[in-house]
Amino acid sequence: MHLDFINCKRIQPKKEAMVLKKESIEESNQKYLASHKQNFDFVTKKINGIDSILKKLIDFQVAIPSWALGTGGTRFGRFSVGGEPGNLEQKIEDVGFIHALNKSSGAISLHIPWDIPSDPAEIKKLAAAYGLKFDAVNSNTFQDLPNQALSYKFGSLQHTDKAVRKQAIEHNIEVIQHGIALGSKSLSVWLSDGSCFPGQLNFRKAWQRTFESLQEIYEALPADWKMFVEYKAFEPNFYSMTVGDWGQSLLFTSKLGPKAFTLVDLGHHLPNANIEQIVSLLMMENKLAGFHFNDSKYGDDDLTVGSIKPYQLFLIFNELVEGMDAKGMNHATDLAWMIDASHNVKDPLEDLLQSVEAIMIAYAQALIVDKVALVEAQETNDVTLAQEILQAAYRTDVRPIIAEARLRTGAALEPLQLFRSSKIRAQLIKERGEKNIATGL
Ligand code: RM4
Ligand code: MN
Ligand code: MN
């Protein structure tokens, strides 16, 4: 199966089942064009500088996590959607579908060892054929893998036994090597290290050991690479996490050096945390790596972006745009934009399409905030007006603007509709079978 408008001579699709043709996109867009134009004209009447907004939206790309292309589950059960990608090639094919539909998902983030490429050069070519780059590579020292010598039951980089720490450090360095072969430029380190009970751990020693281990990994980074240190409040450890919040991560990344940054996963905070303020301050310190986008009601729920707290997502983007502009940063490339989600009851591809759309909506809303008026309201302590200004942007239906950006890049005006009407899932099931299980969450 392949996308027939992909112009690639060397990578030949294995089968001729064509599920998504360029003509299908055009044909589908024709159906929606008249009403789209009407909606777009209506919304843009009130917006200044629409062309520069559209350009920013077109440039903005969100990486898809390779580990979220199959159906997720909990420890209670897992209910497959069928046709899941069984190998890295198929995962790339899936991200290729998403990107063809929205042209906003031009990157994939890999998790090692779930996605070790057997032939990196070929994988790189395959990804390029779908217009995809490799975003951050992720290490995994939260599971014991088959044939692994030592266990991570009591942590990895923090472990009391030097030999376990060494094993975990070497794994991270190996992940960097895989990333280099694929053209990736950053390593994401998420540690499940911590403790489940009071007294189990000496916090200071755990911190020091983790720091020394991170230093060794940091030393192995190529000059143009970044290291992302992700924090998480709880789970799988329920008493303490060694990188439990942004303060702890920032302590590590500040001491490590200029190539280390703090990664914000939206689901990794204690309830009601003011994430937009965290983001603003991390940017102020030039220490924000970027995001693992998802949404949550209770904890690390990994729900569809924007499905629970869309206003929070908008407020985060409002701080991002303000902070990036204050520092003259490139919105599309200076921070890492990645999704980290799990889909237990939805088709993963549909869920990811919705997630990317939610991100684009929040970004577009942040772009249309009347910044001059907001600064004025803030400086004069006009609290009511400040709220009005933010909510005027948030309450604007910017979907026609996102759709216009897609139209201009040859993507689908209605990606989800087209995904459904072209029966992509049914074809994937036909080709890959009902029982294929993807590695990942
Ligand atoms: C963690 C964390 C990491 C992700 C793993 C699979 O909760 O969010 O980013 O790599 O899950
Ligand atoms: Mn994450
Ligand atoms: Mn998580």
Side-chain angles (χ1 to χ4, degrees), residues 76-89:
F76 301 107
R78 185 178 177 281
F79 307 94
S80 178
V81 69
E84 294 183 21
N87 53 40
L88 184 51
E89 285 80 354

Side-chain angles (χ1 to χ4, degrees), residues 137-149:
V137 276
N138 298 255
S139 60
N140 179 343
T141 60
F142 46 88
Q143 287 177 318
D144 282 347
L145 308 159
N147 310 322
Q148 182 180 309

Side-chain angles (χ1 to χ4, degrees), residues 67 111 138 188 190 230-232 263-268 291-294 300 302 339-341:
W67 60 99
H111 225 302
N138 298 255
S188 290
W190 173 68
E230 184 177 357
Y231 57 90
K232 179 172 173 175
L263 181 69
V264 178
D265 181 313
L266 295 183
H268 287 193
F291 283 82
H292 272 180
F293 290 111
N294 49 48
D300 189 24
D302 282 335
I339 291 173
D340 184 3

Side-chain angles (χ1 to χ4, degrees), residues 141-425:
T141 60
F142 46 88
Q143 287 177 318
D144 282 347
L145 308 159
N147 310 322
Q148 182 180 309
L150 303 164
S151 173
Y152 295 133
K153 180 173 177 183
F154 298 111
S156 57
L157 298 185
Q158 72 167 19
H159 205 283
T160 48
D161 181 353
K162 197 170 193 309
V164 180
R165 302 203 293 275
K166 186 164 179 279
Q167 177 182 281
I169 293 165
E170 279 166 5
H171 165 71
N172 274 277
I173 294 174
E174 204 183 300
V175 174
I176 296 173
Q177 301 308 327
H178 286 302
I180 292 171
L182 294 169
S184 185
K185 293 277 176 229
S186 46
L187 168 73
S188 290
V189 182
W190 173 68
L191 301 173
S192 66
D193 293 34
S195 65
C196 264
F197 296 97
Q200 183 185 334
L201 206 64
N202 178 306
F203 297 137
R204 216 170 359 90
K205 280 188 192 166
W207 195 94
Q208 282 299 343
R209 286 174 178 143
T210 304
F211 180 57
E212 281 161 26
S213 305
L214 285 171
Q215 271 183 316
E216 285 194 46
I217 300 166
Y218 187 89
E219 293 307 317
L221 286 176
D224 58 345
W225 269 55
K226 295 177 180 174
M227 181 199 268
F228 301 160
V229 180
E230 184 177 357
Y231 57 90
K232 179 172 173 175
F234 65 90
E235 195 212 16
N237 274 297
F238 291 104
Y239 173 60
S240 73
M241 291 288 274
T242 298
V243 199
D245 63 20
W246 71 287
Q248 284 158 290
S249 170
L250 184 60
L251 203 55
F252 283 118
T253 56
S254 300
K255 287 181 190 255
L256 281 167
K259 290 190 277 180
F261 300 87
T262 295
L263 181 69
V264 178
D265 181 313
L266 295 183
H268 287 193
H269 303 86
L270 291 173
N272 306 326
N274 188 334
I275 304 176
E276 52 273 27
Q277 188 179 17
I278 295 172
V279 167
S280 163
L281 298 182
L282 283 173
M283 265 195 301
M284 180 179 79
E285 292 299 297
N286 295 322
K287 279 296 183 187
L288 179 65
F291 283 82
H292 272 180
F293 290 111
N294 49 48
D295 211 342
S296 80
K297 176 82 178 152
Y298 301 106
D300 189 24
D301 306 342
D302 282 335
L303 299 174
T304 318
V305 185
S307 61
I308 308 279
K309 290 175 266 184
Y311 191 49
Q312 174 183 267
L313 187 64
F314 159 72
L315 293 174
I316 290 169
F317 266 98
N318 181 51
E319 293 303 331
L320 283 167
V321 167
E322 195 274 338
M324 289 189 292
D325 288 349
K327 292 194 172 259
M329 290 164 72
N330 181 317
H331 293 193
T333 53
D334 284 350
L335 297 174
W337 311 111
M338 301 173 276
I339 291 173
D340 184 3
S342 176
H343 330 282
N344 301 349
V345 294
K346 285 194 221 160
D347 182 316
L349 295 179
E350 292 194 353
D351 197 322
L352 288 161
L353 284 168
Q354 287 182 315
S355 285
V356 176
E357 175 88 5
I359 293 166
M360 299 308 282
I361 287 173
Y363 179 39
Q365 288 169 332
L367 289 172
I368 63 167
V369 167
D370 186 341
K371 286 155 192 91
V372 176
L374 182 61
V375 170
E376 170 74 14
Q378 289 171 342
E379 292 301 316
T380 56
N381 299 306
D382 192 340
V383 185
T384 307
L385 185 58
Q387 178 187 323
E388 287 296 309
I389 292 163
L390 283 187
Q391 293 190 341
Y394 176 67
R395 289 170 178 159
T396 304
D397 185 357
V398 296
R399 288 175 301 172
I401 304 177
I402 317 290
E404 178 68 18
R406 278 197 298 268
L407 186 66
R408 292 192 186 187
T409 52
L413 274 174
E414 296 287 345
L416 196 56
Q417 301 301 334
L418 184 54
F419 177 82
R420 289 192 166 190
S421 63
S422 38
K423 301 204 176 352
I424 292 179
R425 179 58 60 190

